[in-house]
Amino acid sequence: MILHDPQQILRDEIERALDMVLVGGWYCIGVGDGHGLRGVLAFDHIRRDDCEMHAAGRAGFMTRELLRECGRVVFGVLGCQRVTIRVRKSNIRVQRAAERAGFTHEGEMRRFFGDEDAALMGLLASEYPYHVQRLQAQNRSCA
């Protein structure tokens, strides 16, 4: 079950899970089951052109359904043209998962996590796999 919480209700819990403070306008999507919250995606620094995405949760919470909903929220509801993530450089597993979701490695930020560099990754609305598939299907139906 996917939960939306653009309000203050879960903010403290989400900030604890992410070990950070959400800045500016923010929006969260959570994944729940019969045992509670399995994971959360939080979006902050929301501007027309970009937002930052942060994730925390138990293994396996990042499903295709959640990725589709993520794109719908970022590119549809929030109206952003891109989404940015920063991942610990040593966390190759998450970087590969982000690449499978369509993110591109754009550079590194030295000492971003204090003790470690960050891999900077981004995804444009025009590159989002589920968005592109939908547009291609619409174009075929118009032909």
Side-chain angles (χ1 to χ4, degrees), residues 81-99:
Q81 296 302 305
R82 65 170 280 130
V83 59
T84 301
I85 61 172
R86 292 177 182 89
V87 179
R88 285 186 177 274
K89 190 174 175 184
S90 64
N91 197 338
I92 302 301
R93 185 180 61 82
V94 169
Q95 290 179 54
R96 296 300 170 254
E99 288 171 349

Side-chain angles (χ1 to χ4, degrees), residues 29-32 37-41 56-58 61:
I29 305 172
V31 178
L37 195 62
R38 291 181 44 221
V40 65
L41 297 179
R58 292 182 274 175
F61 90 93

